[in-house]
Amino acid sequence: MNVLSLFDGMSCGRLALERAGFPVTNYFASEIDKFAIQVAQANYPDTVHLGDVTGVKTHENGDLFVPLDRGYKIDLLIGGSPCQGFSWAGKRLNFDDPRSALFFEYVRLLRELKPRWFLLENVNMKQEHQDVITEHLGVKPVRINSNLVSAQNRDRLYWTNIPVRSMPENKRIYLKDILEDGWTDREKSHCIDANYFKGGNLKSYFQK
């Protein structure tokens, strides 16, 4: 399966596909944050990074254009376009926020690539703005809070043509279930340059 992930971040989409048991033949990612790219490359070095979403191009036949390579038919298009314009925590500029207006780049590539499957994620927002996205994508969103499967309260909307027949089972995971001792392990980090203390735990460190 060939996957194109827009606004890819650190390739959590690929991790989700991997855990769900979906084989990925080629994974193409559009991302501009250098630290997110660094993490993604460390975990998935075969990811093909395409840069800014506005520069992602397609061939006339609908294949993804990959510089210095052949075209690729995309089977799955995924992405979580910037949410700052829709978030209740922000100024709610909606599509007037240039970051949230990048949603239309997702629409452009969806129409050009015509993938078999697509999925778009964004924050819970005003109904009138949900309706704009719904009109462009042709499907209504499914609302899922990630607190069903994690210790994080993350209420999100998902527009997809993948059939959703039920909600995830509530695994009742709480913060205490995932907390470690506050230790930062540089060997497991891909973009941390600072020299952190070693040995002991966070509580004993501050008691010195």
Side-chain angles (χ1 to χ4, degrees):
M1 177 169 62
N2 291 331
V3 180
L4 173 59
S5 175
L6 306 180
F7 323 104
D8 181 64
M10 58 182 188
S11 292
C12 288
R14 184 162 184 180
L15 179 62
L17 290 168
E18 185 179 274
R19 292 184 175 182
F22 290 99
V24 174
T25 306
N26 294 290
Y27 190 93
F28 304 97
S30 171
E31 178 56 57
I32 60 172
D33 185 276
K34 65 178 183 179
F35 297 115
I37 293 172
Q38 190 174 340
V39 173
Q41 289 178 334
N43 291 317
Y44 300 104
D46 61 336
T47 295
V48 180
H49 287 272
L50 302 175
D52 192 322
V53 65
T54 60
V56 177
K57 306 300 181 184
T58 62
H59 292 283
E60 291 182 0
N61 64 357
D63 286 353
L64 177 68
F65 173 78
V66 179
L68 305 178
D69 202 347
R70 62 184 178 87
Y72 289 84
K73 173 64 180 175
I74 297 301
D75 303 296
L76 171 65
L77 176 66
I78 60 177
S81 55
C83 65
Q84 292 92 337
F86 305 119
S87 174
W88 297 99
K91 296 181 179 179
R92 296 198 293 278
L93 297 175
N94 309 307
F95 294 106
D96 291 330
D97 188 308
R99 295 165 295 182
S100 292
L102 288 172
F103 158 72
F104 295 107
E105 291 296 320
Y106 183 98
V107 174
R108 173 181 68 83
L109 289 165
L110 177 64
R111 291 174 177 172
E112 293 178 5
L113 293 167
K114 297 180 174 59
R116 181 178 181 184
W117 307 110
F118 69 84
L119 182 144
L120 175 81
E121 174 266 353
N122 215 304
V123 295
N124 188 23
M125 63 187 75
K126 287 184 177 181
Q127 187 64 51
E128 61 188 284
H129 304 121
Q130 290 184 39
D131 292 343
V132 172
I133 297 176
T134 295
E135 180 180 356
H136 280 87
L137 300 186
V139 293
K140 292 183 178 180
V142 177
R143 184 174 176 179
I144 303 175
N145 195 322
S146 294
N147 63 12
L148 294 174
V149 294
S150 73
Q152 184 179 36
N153 188 44
R154 194 174 178 85
D155 189 18
R156 294 294 183 268
L157 299 173
Y158 299 86
W159 286 262
T160 182
N161 66 342
I162 302 171
V164 179
R165 297 184 176 89
S166 62
M167 289 293 101
E169 177 185 354
N170 190 343
K171 295 186 176 181
R172 301 188 185 282
I173 301 174
Y174 301 102
L175 186 61
K176 63 181 179 63
D177 300 320
I178 65 167
L179 282 179
E180 298 180 356
D181 62 3
W183 191 255
T184 299
D185 190 340
R186 288 189 64 196
E187 294 181 356
K188 294 182 179 179
S189 302
H190 303 301
C191 56
I192 292 179
D193 296 324
N195 290 315
Y196 290 88
F197 56 87
K198 294 181 178 294
N201 56 55
L202 195 64
K203 182 177 180 181
S204 63
Y205 175 80
F206 284 107
Q207 287 178 339
K208 291 181 180 179

